[in-house]
Amino acid sequence: MKIAVHGLGRMGMQIVRKLAEDGHEVIAHNRSAEPIDEAVGHGAVAAYTKDDVLAAFAASPAVVWIMLPAEITDDEVAEWTALLPKHSIIINGGNSNFLSTQSLNRLVAAANMDLIDIGVSGGVWGYNQGFPMMVGGDNKDAVTTIAPVLDTLKKPGGAWSHFGPSGAGHYVKMVHNAIEYGMMQSLAEGYRLLREGPYKDIDLAEAGDVWEHHSVITSWLNELTRQAMVENPTLTGISGYVAESGEARWALELAQSLNITLPAIQAAFDVRLASQKGDVNFATKILAAQRNKFGGHNLNSEGK
């Protein structure tokens, strides 16, 4: 199917490439030109301006996937809503607060268009392994329309599901990322205890490898941590600064309003905040290494 993708960062470029290679007609748009040129190399059609995107759909209802940081997504959705023909579909594939998504949905619906929110996981591995996608949206027919795109993006080992009305996809992704914080923190603390405990010669990568063979904590996160230990056993050159990108904060705020306690997630969140003020150790270095492994994030200071 024909789809435009606006935002060609780490995730957006993978989406463009995967769709184009599977035979979809992908219109690639970005604020700067260089990523557009790269997308063309993957088989996409260049759209250097929003007008180019509109022209590609020849005044027909369009499908535009926006893959941008949360802090600029709302404005972009509003801009596209003012430009696109009626009955177009706008997909918000970034990590937006589900409450903001609900608000945006009202704006888009008032323009006789559909907004679909998709929480996308898989990091920089999604192109090869397939993306897990958590979908929300009021109009089930609009979700059905974009199903061929989602079916491509899930190949070979990903998955997608429509979880309910507007915001439901971002809500499920928010909870996913909050869980991720706690799991990462637990692994990081365990590896630190191995390193700094009474047995000084324990091979951390070897311990991780044994754990990865059907132990109770076998997981992709543990495998990525093990890989980091193989490549850099002392984590030299990693400051231990660990960014937080919003989702756990939103989950904690909501939980507080519902009188639900999330002590493990809260503790993991607090560690990240403390690391940004200089309270770093081997565990926070592992957290930074994990983020780099699954998301390609900067090892020292990048926030998204």
Side-chain angles (χ1 to χ4, degrees), residues 181 183-196 204 225 228-229 233-235 238-243 267-268 271-272 275 279-291 299:
Y181 275 43
M183 293 174 67
M184 291 171 66
Q185 182 66 32
S186 180
L187 284 168
E189 291 175 6
Y191 277 89
R192 181 189 181 190
L193 188 59
L194 285 182
R195 185 174 188 267
E196 299 178 7
L204 303 191
T225 307
M229 293 296 96
T234 61
L235 302 182
I238 301 175
S239 69
Y241 177 108
V242 190
V271 166
R272 295 191 180 209
S275 78
D279 185 2
V280 299
N281 52 53
F282 193 73
T284 64
K285 291 184 178 184
I286 289 176
L287 292 173
Q290 290 170 332
R291 295 184 79 247
L299 282 169

Side-chain angles (χ1 to χ4, degrees), residues 92-111:
N92 178 2
N95 287 328
S96 292
N97 189 319
F98 77 99
L99 296 173
S100 296
T101 299
Q102 291 175 343
S103 178
L104 278 177
N105 182 62
R106 291 189 285 272
L107 173 71
V108 174

Side-chain angles (χ1 to χ4, degrees), residues 150-233:
L150 304 182
D151 288 341
T152 288
L153 293 177
K154 75 177 184 181
K155 296 176 184 178
W160 70 271
S161 184
H162 181 208
F163 286 98
S166 180
H170 282 155
Y171 182 76
V172 176
K173 180 58 161 51
M174 176 191 75
V175 175
H176 165 280
N177 281 28
I179 293 169
E180 178 185 292
Y181 275 43
M183 293 174 67
M184 291 171 66
Q185 182 66 32
S186 180
L187 284 168
E189 291 175 6
Y191 277 89
R192 181 189 181 190
L193 188 59
L194 285 182
R195 185 174 188 267
E196 299 178 7
Y199 296 94
K200 302 303 182 185
D201 296 322
I202 291 178
D203 186 325
L204 303 191
E206 189 68 17
D209 182 64
V210 171
W211 291 347
E212 202 56 21
H213 283 77
H214 305 293
S215 82
V216 174
I217 64 168
T218 297
S219 64
W220 187 43
L221 271 173
N222 180 60
E223 171 58 21
L224 295 178
T225 307
R226 185 199 69 80
Q227 290 175 17
M229 293 296 96
V230 169
E231 294 166 7
N232 188 358

